[in-house]
Amino acid sequence: MSNNSSQKNWKTKLHSIIYEADTPTGKLFDVVLLILILLSIFFVMLESVKGLPAYTYNLLYYSEWVVTIFFTLEYIARVISIKKTSSYIFSFYGIIDLLSTLPLYLSFFITGSSALLAVRALRLLRVFRILKISRYIGESNKLVKAIKDSRAKILVFLFAVIVLCIILGTLMYLVEGEESGFKSIPISVYWCIVTLTTVGYGDIAPATPLGQFIAAIIMIMGYGIIAVPTGIVSAEYTQHQNKNVDLNTQSCGHCNESKHFDNSKFCHKCGQDLYINNE
């Protein structure tokens, strides 16, 4: 019984430090984690710069290994500190944490894989939960909700844009032909997409007056089309602006669920106490 109690005790403390930021040790761990993530990204970026002294690259290499070992231990700690380990391993953050740890180990077998360490930048998404800033958490939740509610309208809009690009691209192929660089319908559709999005690489350009007129119409349409998704999301965001958004970021020690209502004492997914890591 005492062994089970002691095991429960250290796992509870470990979970509190790693997954929560309500305690001094938890806040310290999260701040150190953020600093190491930023340093790691800086190391990877600096390593790609040519012409630095040789000792600099050696220092960066060993520094990356120190950070990688820390992330490896952190990943193992996250796995063993919750009862339902698969809920973390196969979660979004669990996959990102694993991918940010593997590249340096893979460099022993695959040349150049260490450059994939830049994926650690995705770990910075934890900053909202780590800092526990309710204002930013609330606003980010509203934005995510607005984007989710807008996805059907945006998908319909994008489908209409794709159809329009196919039609206009085909028209430009018929008007301009291969002489102006419109060698096939797919290339013409590519040109239409580039022009409609106002990118305008300039690798293909219409030469005939009719083609230039159509291109001008497409360019003007591009400015209006870009504004449509913004308007859709903005309208949804305005609707959610006055709604109450739950700011609770407590993480369940059993199933790793983190989306709970404010003032929740028990996990809505598995029913476990949010403040006691029951074994």
Side-chain angles (χ1 to χ4, degrees):
M1 180 67 69
S2 60
N3 290 334
N4 291 335
S5 178
S6 61
Q7 184 183 31
K8 172 184 173 181
N9 188 45
W10 72 261
K11 280 192 175 184
T12 302
K13 291 181 178 179
L14 186 61
H15 180 274
S16 176
I17 293 172
I18 295 178
Y19 284 97
E20 306 297 344
D22 297 329
T23 61
T25 52
K27 290 179 181 178
L28 177 62
F29 176 83
D30 290 334
V31 170
V32 171
L33 180 62
L34 276 180
I35 292 174
L36 287 176
I37 293 172
L38 290 171
L39 284 176
S40 174
I41 296 169
F42 175 74
F43 293 155
V44 174
M45 294 173 64
L46 195 60
E47 194 175 21
S48 66
V49 178
K50 307 299 182 182
L52 296 176
Y55 70 87
T56 303
Y57 297 108
N58 292 331
L59 181 61
L60 290 172
Y61 177 75
Y62 293 122
S63 299
E64 287 175 7
W65 267 113
V66 171
V67 175
T68 297
I69 291 172
F70 177 88
F71 286 160
T72 303
L73 296 175
E74 180 223 353
Y75 181 81
I76 295 172
R78 286 185 182 276
V79 171
I80 65 176
S81 63
I82 55 176
K83 187 173 182 180
K84 191 177 179 182
T85 57
S86 60
S87 62
Y88 166 71
I89 293 174
F90 298 106
S91 68
F92 172 77
Y93 284 115
I95 294 172
I96 293 300
D97 291 346
L98 180 62
L99 291 178
S100 67
T101 305
L102 289 178
L104 209 54
Y105 295 113
L106 292 177
S107 64
F108 289 112
F109 310 100
I110 305 175
T111 304
S113 62
S114 59
L116 297 175
L117 289 172
V119 76
R120 288 175 179 171
L122 292 174
R123 300 199 70 190
L124 293 174
L125 294 174
R126 293 181 181 273
V127 68
F128 295 117
R129 294 185 54 80
I130 288 174
L131 297 180
K132 297 279 185 169
I133 301 177
S134 60
R135 176 184 175 185
Y136 296 128
I137 293 174
E139 293 302 320
S140 64
N141 288 345
K142 289 177 184 178
L143 180 59
V144 170
K145 188 69 167 60
I147 293 174
K148 285 183 178 179
D149 292 345
S150 305
R151 64 180 180 271
K153 298 177 183 176
I154 292 177
L155 286 174
V156 171
F157 168 76
L158 291 177
F159 178 76
V161 171
I162 292 173
V163 172
L164 182 64
C165 287
I166 293 174
I167 294 173
L168 293 175
T170 304
L171 180 61
M172 288 298 292
Y173 171 73
L174 296 174
V175 171
E176 291 294 329
E178 297 184 9
E179 296 80 8
S180 300
F182 296 82
K183 298 179 180 180
S184 65
I185 292 179
I187 291 177
S188 301
V189 171
Y190 154 79
W191 170 87
C192 184
I193 294 173
V194 169
T195 305
L196 196 64
T197 55
T198 69
V199 177
Y201 291 128
D203 51 344
I204 305 174
T208 65
L210 179 59
Q212 292 172 351
F213 174 76
I214 296 174
I217 298 298
I218 294 174
M219 294 174 195
I220 294 172
M221 289 174 56
Y223 286 103
I225 285 176
I226 289 174
V228 174
T230 306
I232 293 173
V233 176
S234 298
E236 291 291 343
Y237 185 80
T238 302
Q239 292 181 10
H240 292 288
Q241 192 66 24
N242 298 324
K243 294 182 180 179
N244 293 326
V245 178
D246 295 304
L247 306 178
N248 191 340
T249 59
Q250 197 74 23
S251 178
C252 177
H254 179 268
C255 68
N256 202 37
E257 177 65 25
S258 60
K259 297 179 181 179
H260 299 100
F261 297 115
D262 291 340
N263 302 319
S264 294
K265 295 183 179 180
F266 299 93
C267 177
H268 65 83
K269 188 174 182 179
C270 67
Q272 289 291 332
D273 193 320
L274 291 177
Y275 301 93
I276 300 177
N277 186 14
N278 294 317
E279 287 291 330

